[in-house]
Amino acid sequence: MGKFTVLNHPLIQHKLTIIRRKETSSNEFRRIVGEIGGLMTYEITRDLPLKDVEIETPIGKTTQKEIAGKKLTIVPILRAGIGMLNGVMEMIPSAKVGVIGMYRDEETLTPHEYFCKMPKDVAERECLVVDPMLATGGSANMAIGALKKRGVKVIKLAVLVAAPEGVKAIQKENPDVDIYAAAEDEKLLPNGYITPGLGDAGDRLFGTK
Ligand code: URA
């Protein structure tokens, strides 16, 4: 079964508390979602393999390290996943971005894919799917399925707030995917919101409430 890791670094916890507050403005919410995305990326990439490279400094030749192996694709799930993208890209500027669009049927709460644009060589890349909220797990499972259909073999999922129900759903349908969250909350409410959560992440990011 895939690992579920809560990245509870003090900076991440502090910033998450700010965005949970209902009085936090969209402006601040957006900035901090990006920052948490960056801090999470720092932790998630901790075990990236390194290789030796020979370089020349202004003083002389030396052997140093650089990241080896497969390149990354960041996959934000539209639309709230876009909020995490800048922060993640600041940590890994050479990553490519594959966008996947999902909307949730407000009555049945089931996700539907309406857009998918991946880099051509996505099958040779490791993918980091990003979405602030892991609620039922329906959208994330669908996004992971879309990547697997395109031949992607290594997939990780990064969310800010995870509901236990969502974690279970991913572990059941995609047991090979490691999940990273800034927090695991109490539960999913019948209306699809996570409690205590932070409300509708997309609306808060884009000021569309
Ligand atoms: N999506 C959100 O934006 N918030 C929730 O609490 C659950 C799903």
Side-chain angles (χ1 to χ4, degrees), residues 1-6 44 47 156-157 167 170-171 174-181:
M1 185 183 297
K3 277 186 300 172
F4 172 51
T5 310
V6 177
I44 294 166
D47 57 0
K156 291 177 177 167
L157 171 65
V167 174
I170 304 292
Q171 288 179 331
N174 289 291
D176 54 324
V177 171
D178 288 342
I179 308 166
Y180 300 87

Side-chain angles (χ1 to χ4, degrees), residues 104 133 135 192-194 199-202:
R104 192 166 55 148
M133 309 304 276
Y193 282 96
I194 300 172
D200 187 306

Side-chain angles (χ1 to χ4, degrees), residues 139-150:
S139 307
N141 267 333
M142 194 172 260
I144 292 164
L147 293 173
K148 287 186 175 173
K149 211 169 67 188
R150 288 165 176 81

Side-chain angles (χ1 to χ4, degrees), residues 80 104 132-136 161 188 192-203:
R104 192 166 55 148
M133 309 304 276
L134 177 58
T136 62
V161 179
L188 201 56
Y193 282 96
I194 300 172
T195 185
L198 44 74
D200 187 306
D203 278 347

Side-chain angles (χ1 to χ4, degrees), residues 15 39 72 75 90 131 137 171 206 208:
K15 288 174 190 291
L39 290 168
L72 282 175
V75 182
E90 268 174 29
D131 196 5
Q171 288 179 331
F206 300 114
T208 47

Side-chain angles (χ1 to χ4, degrees), residues 6 14 17-18 21 38 67 71 78 86 94 109 118 131-132 140-141 146 157 180 183-185 187 195 209:
V6 177
H14 180 85
T17 300
I18 298 173
R21 290 182 195 273
I67 290 171
K71 296 279 187 271
L78 292 178
N86 274 355
S94 63
L109 302 182
M118 292 295 145
D131 196 5
N141 267 333
L157 171 65
Y180 300 87
E184 184 180 27
D185 272 13
K187 63 173 183 202
T195 185
K209 211 159 32 169

Side-chain angles (χ1 to χ4, degrees), residues 111-123:
H112 299 270
E113 180 186 319
Y114 64 89
F115 183 78
C116 187
K117 181 78 184 170
M118 292 295 145
K120 280 203 187 68
D121 59 350
V122 70

